[in-house]
Amino acid sequence: GFNTFSGSGDGIMSVGLYEVKSTTRDWRSDSYRDRYTLLSFLGRLEYNYRNKYYLSGSARSDGSSRFHPDQRWGTFFSAGASWRISQEAFLTDVSWLDNLSLRASYGTSGNDDIGVLYAYQEYYQKYSDLYGQPGYRKDTNGASELHWEKNQQFNAAVDFSLFNRLSGTVEYYTRNSLDLLAQKDLPPSANAGASVYNTNLGDIVNRGIELSASFAAIRNTDFQWTVSANFTTLHNEVTSMSSDPYTFDIYRTTMKREVGHSLYEHFIPRNAGVNPDNGRLRYWVNDGSGNWSTTENWGDVSLNRDGQYVGSSIPKGFGSVTNQFAYKGFDFSFMWYGSYGAKMYSYQLLENYSIRAGVSPVPSIVDGNRWTKPGDNAKFPRWSMQDRGYAGQNTNSDLFIVSNNFLRLRNLVLGYTIPKTVTQKIGISNARIYVSGDNLLTFSPTVKYSTDPETGLRGNDYNGNGDNDSGIQGARRVYMCGLQVSF
């Protein structure tokens, strides 16, 4: 834990006076105390029989100050086993098989991170003074029933190594998060200053296949080339909830949490394309009985009645490929990273498309896809200062939901190690100079909209990337050069 205290003021009378007592107005003070505590007891057991059969197990008990004393402790365990098949007598004579192993494990772990130091307590903060009289209001709602989030993890894998050149792993994994910790928004009429309450929201599952391999393509005295790759599929789904399905807004998009869908899935009215006769954007509306029709009037659209799932911001798969080269003292490597299957809300597309007083759109984004005359079959409606609702600029529809597939040159490095015959003469055991670059190339539908594809799960905002309107920036292009020396 820690204690903090701060004081400040304005109106310093002279340069060089930096004490708070030298200020003349707007005196302020603040203090903060953190007493978060975690107490753990744990044990571990491992067994190995003839380097062929392996068993392991562990157990732990954790107590967290974030939970009520009645819910404070959680107990978790794990167990695993592996079998090195290549060590069996019937495979010892197979010269090209370096290693073949089967392994599996199951375990549980706990999570108490909900972003609040005393998540179960109801506490208050100073609100305002009225004629010199103090006032305060509720800052956090009590949640005495709040308890540990439990993660159940299972994996089964095959590890192999062949010809002393090729190695890899094929693995199936599943992770169930039970009693997921979350902060759920309260309606304005009910929050009374505390806008959220802490809860165990429900259960989710993540499962998929992980593949990885490394291949020594060329390996001799002067030149080596190694290729490494990995790929992971991901299925994310809410399997149960402690409450009814609910929607939550992330700036201009809306997401909905419901059993059978992902944790971050866009739920938003869908556009029905641009009317070729007048250039107005149309929307799909439901009469409540499952019958769909279109309207040009945004006022006719209701999120609860007309919202539809339009894709998850969680990718369905991701992976990378790395090439490493070495020639005498030179080394060179580069890695490509990619992801597919995700959708994102591109606020940059909205901003670059919109037209209003003092704001100029970016014509290259919509030219060729914008309605300009009757008969045009366009994606984007006509520009209009007076009719911005019909132009889709003031509406919360899927017009600005875009594919977030991407392939990126994540890293490139070129280096040279100075021969030891040179460095040892000046007392240096090793010296290497290098240049590198990160995020040098990106191929993605989002690039033309000036949006970084590696955005937060909830979409991007004014400044490019963030979970909300926070101004958090995404992956940056970085160039570096350096000298590594060891003595």
Side-chain angles (χ1 to χ4, degrees):
F2 58 85
N3 295 330
T4 65
F5 178 82
S6 63
S8 63
D10 296 334
I12 294 178
M13 294 178 291
S14 176
V15 176
L17 299 177
Y18 301 117
E19 301 298 329
V20 175
K21 65 180 298 183
S22 301
T23 61
T24 59
R25 63 179 185 271
D26 296 335
W27 298 286
R28 295 174 296 275
S29 63
D30 193 14
S31 62
Y32 180 78
R33 182 173 63 179
D34 173 12
R35 291 294 187 228
Y36 167 68
T37 302
L38 179 69
L39 178 62
S40 301
F41 301 92
L42 56 93
R44 182 179 178 87
L45 176 66
E46 294 184 345
Y47 177 73
N48 170 13
Y49 180 71
R50 294 188 175 182
N51 292 324
K52 291 192 294 184
Y53 311 107
Y54 300 84
L55 295 174
S56 65
S58 67
R60 64 181 296 156
S61 184
D62 298 310
S64 171
S65 62
R66 286 197 169 103
F67 304 123
H68 188 275
D70 293 341
Q71 312 286 351
R72 183 148 294 168
W73 289 91
T75 301
F76 314 101
F77 70 93
S78 67
S82 63
W83 174 27
R84 291 190 65 191
I85 307 173
S86 55
Q87 294 298 305
E88 296 291 350
F90 60 85
L91 288 178
T92 54
D93 293 334
V94 181
S95 59
W96 52 267
L97 181 62
D98 305 314
N99 179 62
L100 180 63
S101 300
L102 292 177
R103 55 181 170 87
S105 65
Y106 175 82
T108 62
S109 60
N111 176 34
D112 69 339
D113 187 5
I114 195 172
V116 181
L117 294 176
Y118 311 106
Y120 73 95
Q121 291 182 333
E122 181 177 281
Y123 59 96
Y124 297 77
Q125 68 173 355
K126 174 185 175 183
Y127 179 51
S128 64
D129 295 335
L130 181 63
Y131 301 115
Q133 299 300 312
Y136 67 101
R137 69 177 180 183
K138 185 187 295 185
D139 187 54
T140 300
N141 290 292
S144 59
E145 74 289 349
L146 195 70
H147 54 270
W148 282 90
E149 173 185 321
K150 180 180 288 187
N151 296 305
Q152 299 174 331
Q153 302 174 75
F154 171 78
N155 71 293
V158 177
D159 301 314
F160 63 89
S161 178
L162 312 174
F163 304 105
N164 198 28
R165 284 182 178 269
L166 175 63
S167 61
T169 298
V170 179
E171 181 170 348
Y172 169 80
Y173 72 92
T174 179
R175 175 170 175 160
N176 294 296
S177 295
L178 309 180
D179 299 326
L180 191 70
L181 290 173
Q183 292 183 322
K184 189 173 179 182
D185 293 336
L186 286 168
S189 60
N191 64 46
S195 60
V196 300
Y197 70 92
N198 303 313
T199 184
N200 292 102
L201 179 65
D203 305 338
I204 63 171
V205 61
N206 292 284
R207 62 174 178 265
I209 302 293
E210 292 186 349
L211 307 173
S212 63
S214 179
F215 177 55
I218 298 176
R219 186 173 56 203
N220 55 47
T221 304
D222 292 332
F223 183 61
Q224 297 88 41
W225 173 27
T226 303
V227 182
S228 303
N230 64 79
F231 179 74
T232 302
T233 66
L234 173 60
H235 175 79
N236 173 271
E237 181 182 337
V238 177
T239 54
S240 70
M241 292 182 61
S242 60
S243 65
D244 293 333
Y246 68 94
T247 60
F248 55 100
D249 295 332
I250 304 298
Y251 197 65
R252 292 296 291 269
T253 188
T254 304
M255 292 185 173
K256 185 174 183 178
R257 286 189 175 147
E258 184 176 11
V259 173
H261 295 272
S262 83
L263 194 61
Y264 291 99
E265 191 153 356
H266 298 278
F267 183 83
I268 199 168
R270 297 187 63 180
N271 79 88
V274 176
N275 188 331
D277 297 327
N278 57 25
R280 290 180 170 180
L281 191 64
R282 298 173 294 191
Y283 307 94
W284 288 106
V285 292
N286 195 314
D287 65 0
S289 300
N291 300 313
W292 292 89
S293 59
T294 63
T295 181
E296 296 176 4
N297 184 7
W298 177 249
D300 296 336
V301 181
S302 166
L303 173 64
N304 291 333
R305 184 194 65 220
D306 306 318
Q308 300 183 54
Y309 288 105
V310 296
S312 173
S313 60
I314 299 176
K316 296 179 180 179
F318 50 90
S320 66
V321 177
T322 301
N323 283 266
Q324 296 176 302
F325 302 89
Y327 178 70
K328 295 185 177 180
F330 291 93
D331 61 89
F332 175 65
S333 67
F334 61 92
M335 182 182 77
W336 289 93
Y337 176 81
S339 172
Y340 82 95
K343 299 285 187 179
M344 69 173 292
Y345 183 91
S346 175
Y347 186 81
Q348 294 293 342
L349 173 58
L350 169 63
E351 283 289 283
N352 292 336
Y353 156 77
S354 299
I355 182 171
R356 61 184 185 272
V359 175
S360 173
V362 180
S364 61
I365 287 181
V366 293
D367 280 354
N369 280 319
R370 177 175 60 90
W371 188 94
T372 57
K373 63 183 183 302
D376 281 350
N377 183 18
K379 175 181 178 181
F380 295 99
R382 65 185 176 91
W383 277 330
S384 174
M385 286 288 293
Q386 291 75 31
D387 209 5
R388 297 181 68 219
Y390 290 115
Q393 298 173 164
N394 285 345
T395 61
N396 190 11
S397 77
D398 69 334
L399 182 62
F400 304 107
I401 298 287
V402 300
S403 170
N404 199 21
N405 300 338
F406 72 91
L407 179 65
R408 165 167 278 169
L409 181 57
R410 171 75 78 202
N411 178 259
L412 186 149
V413 179
L414 175 63
Y416 177 68
T417 300
I418 301 173
K420 293 184 180 296
T421 55
V422 176
T423 59
Q424 289 178 350
K425 292 180 179 180
I426 54 176
I428 297 175
S429 62
N430 187 71
R432 176 177 175 267
I433 56 176
Y434 69 92
V435 293
S436 69
D438 297 336
N439 306 311
L440 300 180
L441 293 172
T442 302
F443 301 94
S444 172
T446 67
V447 171
K448 69 176 296 185
Y449 307 135
S450 302
T451 297
D452 192 311
E454 293 189 83
T455 185
L457 287 174
R458 301 179 179 184
N460 74 308
D461 57 22
Y462 286 107
N463 296 300
N465 182 16
D467 282 348
N468 47 45
D469 191 15
S470 60
I472 300 172
Q473 296 297 308
R476 297 176 182 269
R477 184 174 297 171
V478 179
Y479 300 95
M480 295 179 60
C481 62
L483 172 64
Q484 298 172 326
V485 178
S486 58
F487 298 90

